[in-house]
Structure formats: C-alpha cells, structure tokens
Amino acid sequence: VRQGWLTRRDIIVPLDWAVEISERRIVLDARDWQIEQLPDYRPDEEIAEDVRQALYDAPQFHDGADFFAMQVSVRDGVVTLRGNVRNSVRRIEAERIARRVRGVIDVRNELLADDALELLVAQALRSDGRLQIHDLVVTSMLGLVRLHGRVPDAQQRELAAQVARHVTGVQAIDNQLTVDPLLARTRTETSSSATQLEAEP
C-alpha cells in the first residue's frame, strides 16, 4: 500500500486483511495501530543489497571467508540465506543480522555450519555397511570436507569419497584416507575364523 491518507509510508499489508478487492479500492479489516506496526515496503533488490552490506560490515564476518560463502536472495520481503559458514554460532548471527534490515518480513536460514556438516558426513560414512574405516576424522572448512583415517584398499577409499560427496552442503572433498593393507588381512582372518566357528559341531 503506497503512502497517502491511510499511511505516511509505503507498507506491506497481509492479503488476509483484505475483505474487498476491486479495481477502484481495497477494503481492509484492520485497526490503525495494526497498520502502524506493519513493515515498510521496499523492493526485494534493495533489501537483498542491504542484507549483504549488513553481513559484510558485521565484525563476525570481517575476514570475508564466511561472507563470500553465503548467498542472499529475497522474494516478497522474505530473505533466504544459503551456503556455508564455519560454525553454528555464525549461522545464528547471520540470521539475526538479516532480520534487523529494514523491510525484511522473515528469514529462511538454510545456511549449513561446518560443525553440523562434519557430523552429517561422519554419520553417513559410519552408517554405510560397505565401508570399513578406522580412526575416522572428518573436518570441514566452508563446505570443503577433509577425510582422515585408514581403509583396507583403494576401492574403499574412493567409495568413502563418493558417499561423503552426496551429503547435502558438501562443496568439495579432500580425501586424506590412507590405504592400510593390514586391515584387509585382518578382515579376511576374522571372516575365516567366523566360518570355522560356524562349521564346528
């Protein structure tokens, strides 16, 4: 609604307040104080630019790495944040900063923090029955996931990277898993022992 006799500023009015809509007028079911509390109307492009600037100016993001890993989009005043940040605290801070920008109606926070991503990747690797990874350590830096640990052969090493790549939020894999042939021998010996036990009366 543009500024005029109803309001001194352009505002966004919830559609469900409209009880009559025609070419000549819109009738709202609302009180003056409700209208005064409505957010300013601003074009989505202006809001998006101000959110980006607010994030860029925030002390938490001064080193720039998190800022450049985030994407901001706005539709009808609703901000969507996507991409990667280094930890869950920064994820929450980014949303808080976006909410303070004039004209923002809501924020959809789809940012993925590295600490959460590390847990997701480790869980995916440990729950895959095809993999045998020893001493697994997963680290992430803005979606670049590094795998450390030991596997019995090169096929297992490649399979682990494939499984990790399919986790949502992973931008790239640095596969530092090492092949330890002793693990393959240990697995074979364990299988042989289990077969012998089953064969004994």
Side-chain angles (χ1 to χ4, degrees):
V1 176
R2 296 192 181 280
Q3 64 180 356
W5 66 268
L6 179 64
T7 176
R8 294 182 300 277
R9 58 199 171 91
D10 294 353
I11 57 173
I12 297 174
V13 177
L15 188 59
D16 58 3
W17 286 14
V19 293
E20 180 188 329
I21 301 176
S22 67
E23 287 185 19
R24 296 181 61 86
R25 69 179 189 163
I26 296 174
V27 178
L28 301 177
D29 181 16
R31 300 195 179 279
D32 291 346
W33 65 267
Q34 291 175 300
I35 291 172
E36 283 302 315
Q37 290 183 343
L38 291 171
D40 291 355
Y41 168 77
R42 299 184 68 209
D44 289 342
E45 299 78 22
E46 285 184 15
I47 295 173
E49 185 57 37
D50 281 358
V51 170
R52 289 187 199 99
Q53 189 64 51
L55 290 168
Y56 183 79
D57 292 340
Q60 305 89 305
F61 303 112
H62 268 179
D63 61 10
D66 292 87
F67 174 78
F68 290 110
M70 288 187 281
Q71 299 91 47
V72 177
S73 61
V74 183
R75 181 167 182 178
D76 298 330
V78 177
V79 174
T80 301
L81 302 173
R82 294 189 180 92
N84 298 79
V85 288
R86 277 179 280 187
N87 56 56
S88 297
V89 172
R90 291 188 182 209
R91 179 181 184 275
I92 294 167
E93 279 296 299
E95 178 177 337
R96 186 182 62 80
I97 291 164
R99 285 191 185 279
R100 289 200 314 239
V101 171
R102 187 170 63 86
V104 171
I105 295 173
D106 197 9
V107 176
R108 293 177 183 156
N109 192 344
E110 298 177 11
L111 293 169
L112 190 56
D114 281 332
D115 47 6
L117 186 57
E118 290 166 359
L119 292 174
L120 289 172
V121 171
Q123 184 179 32
L125 293 171
R126 289 189 177 116
S127 64
D128 192 308
R130 300 169 297 172
L131 290 170
Q132 182 190 8
I133 306 176
H134 292 258
D135 307 321
L136 175 65
V137 176
V138 178
T139 58
S140 178
M141 178 61 174
L142 298 176
L144 169 60
V145 173
R146 185 170 286 114
L147 307 178
H148 290 278
R150 297 177 298 135
V151 290
D153 53 51
Q155 290 80 11
Q156 286 264 309
R157 185 176 186 275
E158 180 55 33
L159 179 59
Q162 289 176 13
V163 171
R165 271 190 207 101
H166 284 91
V167 175
T168 301
V170 172
Q171 305 299 327
I173 296 291
D174 180 10
N175 193 346
Q176 298 291 326
L177 293 172
T178 57
V179 174
D180 185 348
L182 290 176
L183 296 176
R185 191 180 311 154
T186 302
R187 185 169 58 173
T188 304
E189 289 171 358
T190 304
S191 299
S192 299
S193 300
T195 303
Q196 289 174 4
L197 288 172
E198 288 174 8
E200 290 177 2

Short mmCIF file of all heavy atoms in Angstrom, two decimals, residues 108-134:
data_model
loop_
_atom_site.label_atom_id
_atom_site.label_comp_id
_atom_site.label_asym_id
_atom_site.label_seq_id
_atom_site.Cartn_x
_atom_site.Cartn_y
_atom_site.Cartn_z
N ARG A 108 14.54 -17.13 6.05
CA ARG A 108 14.67 -18.59 5.95
C ARG A 108 16.16 -18.91 5.96
O ARG A 108 16.87 -18.63 5.01
CB ARG A 108 14.02 -19.10 4.67
CG ARG A 108 12.51 -18.92 4.67
CD ARG A 108 11.88 -19.36 3.39
NE ARG A 108 10.45 -19.11 3.40
CZ ARG A 108 9.69 -18.97 2.33
NH1 ARG A 108 10.24 -19.05 1.12
NH2 ARG A 108 8.40 -18.74 2.43
N ASN A 109 16.60 -19.51 7.04
CA ASN A 109 18.01 -19.77 7.23
C ASN A 109 18.36 -21.18 6.77
O ASN A 109 18.13 -22.15 7.47
CB ASN A 109 18.39 -19.58 8.71
CG ASN A 109 19.89 -19.54 8.92
OD1 ASN A 109 20.65 -19.94 8.04
ND2 ASN A 109 20.31 -19.07 10.07
N GLU A 110 18.92 -21.27 5.57
CA GLU A 110 19.34 -22.56 5.02
C GLU A 110 20.86 -22.70 5.02
O GLU A 110 21.42 -23.56 4.32
CB GLU A 110 18.77 -22.73 3.60
CG GLU A 110 17.25 -22.73 3.57
CD GLU A 110 16.67 -22.82 2.17
OE1 GLU A 110 17.44 -23.10 1.22
OE2 GLU A 110 15.46 -22.62 2.02
N LEU A 111 21.53 -21.86 5.79
CA LEU A 111 22.99 -21.96 5.92
C LEU A 111 23.37 -23.26 6.62
O LEU A 111 22.67 -23.70 7.53
CB LEU A 111 23.54 -20.78 6.73
CG LEU A 111 23.43 -19.40 6.09
CD1 LEU A 111 23.77 -18.33 7.10
CD2 LEU A 111 24.35 -19.30 4.87
N LEU A 112 24.47 -23.85 6.18
CA LEU A 112 24.95 -25.08 6.81
C LEU A 112 26.28 -24.79 7.47
O LEU A 112 27.23 -24.33 6.82
CB LEU A 112 25.10 -26.20 5.78
CG LEU A 112 25.37 -27.59 6.33
CD1 LEU A 112 24.29 -28.00 7.33
CD2 LEU A 112 25.44 -28.61 5.21
N ALA A 113 26.35 -25.02 8.78
CA ALA A 113 27.57 -24.77 9.55
C ALA A 113 28.52 -25.95 9.43
O ALA A 113 28.09 -27.11 9.35
CB ALA A 113 27.22 -24.52 11.01
N ASP A 114 29.82 -25.65 9.44
CA ASP A 114 30.83 -26.71 9.30
C ASP A 114 30.72 -27.76 10.40
O ASP A 114 30.88 -28.95 10.13
CB ASP A 114 32.24 -26.10 9.31
CG ASP A 114 32.62 -25.50 7.96
OD1 ASP A 114 32.11 -25.97 6.93
OD2 ASP A 114 33.43 -24.56 7.95
N ASP A 115 30.45 -27.33 11.64
CA ASP A 115 30.38 -28.32 12.72
C ASP A 115 29.22 -29.29 12.50
O ASP A 115 29.35 -30.49 12.74
CB ASP A 115 30.30 -27.66 14.10
CG ASP A 115 29.28 -26.53 14.17
OD1 ASP A 115 28.53 -26.31 13.21
OD2 ASP A 115 29.24 -25.85 15.22
N ALA A 116 28.10 -28.79 11.98
CA ALA A 116 26.97 -29.68 11.67
C ALA A 116 27.30 -30.57 10.48
O ALA A 116 26.95 -31.76 10.46
CB ALA A 116 25.72 -28.85 11.39
N LEU A 117 27.98 -30.01 9.49
CA LEU A 117 28.34 -30.79 8.30
C LEU A 117 29.30 -31.92 8.64
O LEU A 117 29.18 -33.04 8.11
CB LEU A 117 28.96 -29.86 7.24
CG LEU A 117 29.26 -30.48 5.89
CD1 LEU A 117 28.01 -31.07 5.26
CD2 LEU A 117 29.88 -29.44 4.95
N GLU A 118 30.24 -31.66 9.53
CA GLU A 118 31.18 -32.71 9.95
C GLU A 118 30.43 -33.89 10.55
O GLU A 118 30.75 -35.05 10.25
CB GLU A 118 32.17 -32.14 10.95
CG GLU A 118 33.16 -31.16 10.35
CD GLU A 118 33.92 -30.34 11.38
OE1 GLU A 118 33.66 -30.53 12.60
OE2 GLU A 118 34.75 -29.52 10.98
N LEU A 119 29.44 -33.60 11.37
CA LEU A 119 28.65 -34.68 11.98
C LEU A 119 27.86 -35.45 10.93
O LEU A 119 27.78 -36.68 10.99
CB LEU A 119 27.70 -34.10 13.04
CG LEU A 119 28.36 -33.54 14.30
CD1 LEU A 119 27.32 -32.86 15.18
CD2 LEU A 119 29.07 -34.64 15.08
N LEU A 120 27.26 -34.74 9.98
CA LEU A 120 26.47 -35.40 8.93
C LEU A 120 27.33 -36.33 8.08
O LEU A 120 26.91 -37.45 7.75
CB LEU A 120 25.79 -34.35 8.05
CG LEU A 120 24.65 -33.56 8.68
CD1 LEU A 120 24.21 -32.43 7.75
CD2 LEU A 120 23.47 -34.47 8.99
N VAL A 121 28.52 -35.86 7.71
CA VAL A 121 29.40 -36.67 6.87
C VAL A 121 29.89 -37.89 7.65
O VAL A 121 29.88 -39.03 7.13
CB VAL A 121 30.59 -35.84 6.35
CG1 VAL A 121 31.63 -36.74 5.66
CG2 VAL A 121 30.10 -34.77 5.39
N ALA A 122 30.31 -37.70 8.89
CA ALA A 122 30.78 -38.82 9.71
C ALA A 122 29.67 -39.85 9.89
O ALA A 122 29.92 -41.07 9.80
CB ALA A 122 31.26 -38.32 11.07
N GLN A 123 28.45 -39.38 10.10
CA GLN A 123 27.32 -40.30 10.28
C GLN A 123 27.06 -41.09 8.99
O GLN A 123 26.82 -42.30 9.03
CB GLN A 123 26.08 -39.50 10.66
CG GLN A 123 24.86 -40.37 10.96
CD GLN A 123 23.67 -39.52 11.36
OE1 GLN A 123 23.50 -38.40 10.90
NE2 GLN A 123 22.84 -40.06 12.22
N ALA A 124 27.13 -40.41 7.83
CA ALA A 124 26.91 -41.09 6.56
C ALA A 124 27.96 -42.16 6.31
O ALA A 124 27.64 -43.27 5.84
CB ALA A 124 26.91 -40.07 5.42
N LEU A 125 29.21 -41.88 6.64
CA LEU A 125 30.29 -42.84 6.42
C LEU A 125 30.18 -44.03 7.38
O LEU A 125 30.38 -45.18 6.99
CB LEU A 125 31.64 -42.15 6.59
CG LEU A 125 31.99 -41.10 5.52
CD1 LEU A 125 33.25 -40.34 5.91
CD2 LEU A 125 32.15 -41.75 4.15
N ARG A 126 29.86 -43.75 8.64
CA ARG A 126 29.80 -44.83 9.64
C ARG A 126 28.59 -45.73 9.43
O ARG A 126 28.61 -46.90 9.81
CB ARG A 126 29.78 -44.23 11.04
CG ARG A 126 31.12 -43.63 11.45
CD ARG A 126 31.15 -43.23 12.91
NE ARG A 126 32.47 -42.73 13.28
CZ ARG A 126 32.72 -41.49 13.67
NH1 ARG A 126 31.73 -40.61 13.76
NH2 ARG A 126 33.94 -41.12 13.99
N SER A 127 27.52 -45.17 8.86
CA SER A 127 26.29 -45.97 8.70
C SER A 127 26.26 -46.74 7.39
O SER A 127 25.35 -47.55 7.17
CB SER A 127 25.06 -45.07 8.79
OG SER A 127 25.06 -44.13 7.73
N ASP A 128 27.24 -46.51 6.51
CA ASP A 128 27.28 -47.25 5.24
C ASP A 128 27.94 -48.60 5.47
O ASP A 128 29.14 -48.68 5.75
CB ASP A 128 28.05 -46.44 4.19
CG ASP A 128 27.87 -46.99 2.79
OD1 ASP A 128 28.09 -48.20 2.59
OD2 ASP A 128 27.48 -46.22 1.89
N GLY A 129 27.18 -49.68 5.32
CA GLY A 129 27.67 -51.02 5.60
C GLY A 129 28.77 -51.50 4.68
O GLY A 129 29.46 -52.48 4.98
N ARG A 130 28.97 -50.84 3.56
CA ARG A 130 30.02 -51.25 2.61
C ARG A 130 31.40 -50.77 3.04
O ARG A 130 32.42 -51.24 2.53
CB ARG A 130 29.72 -50.68 1.22
CG ARG A 130 28.39 -51.13 0.64
CD ARG A 130 28.05 -50.33 -0.60
NE ARG A 130 27.87 -48.90 -0.28
CZ ARG A 130 27.71 -47.95 -1.19
NH1 ARG A 130 27.75 -48.26 -2.48
NH2 ARG A 130 27.53 -46.70 -0.82
N LEU A 131 31.44 -49.81 3.98
CA LEU A 131 32.71 -49.18 4.33
C LEU A 131 33.30 -49.75 5.62
O LEU A 131 32.57 -50.07 6.56
CB LEU A 131 32.51 -47.67 4.50
CG LEU A 131 32.22 -46.89 3.21
CD1 LEU A 131 31.80 -45.47 3.54
CD2 LEU A 131 33.45 -46.89 2.30
N GLN A 132 34.62 -49.84 5.63
CA GLN A 132 35.36 -50.22 6.84
C GLN A 132 36.46 -49.17 7.03
O GLN A 132 37.55 -49.27 6.46
CB GLN A 132 35.97 -51.62 6.68
CG GLN A 132 36.71 -52.08 7.92
CD GLN A 132 37.51 -53.34 7.68
OE1 GLN A 132 37.64 -53.81 6.56
NE2 GLN A 132 38.07 -53.89 8.75
N ILE A 133 36.13 -48.12 7.81
CA ILE A 133 37.08 -47.02 8.03
C ILE A 133 37.51 -47.03 9.49
O ILE A 133 36.67 -47.04 10.39
CB ILE A 133 36.45 -45.66 7.69
CG1 ILE A 133 35.88 -45.66 6.27
CG2 ILE A 133 37.48 -44.54 7.84
CD1 ILE A 133 35.16 -44.39 5.88
N HIS A 134 38.81 -47.03 9.71
CA HIS A 134 39.36 -47.00 11.07
C HIS A 134 39.89 -45.59 11.37
O HIS A 134 40.43 -44.93 10.48
CB HIS A 134 40.49 -48.03 11.20
CG HIS A 134 40.00 -49.44 11.13
ND1 HIS A 134 39.84 -50.23 12.24
CD2 HIS A 134 39.62 -50.20 10.07
CE1 HIS A 134 39.39 -51.42 11.88
NE2 HIS A 134 39.25 -51.42 10.55
#
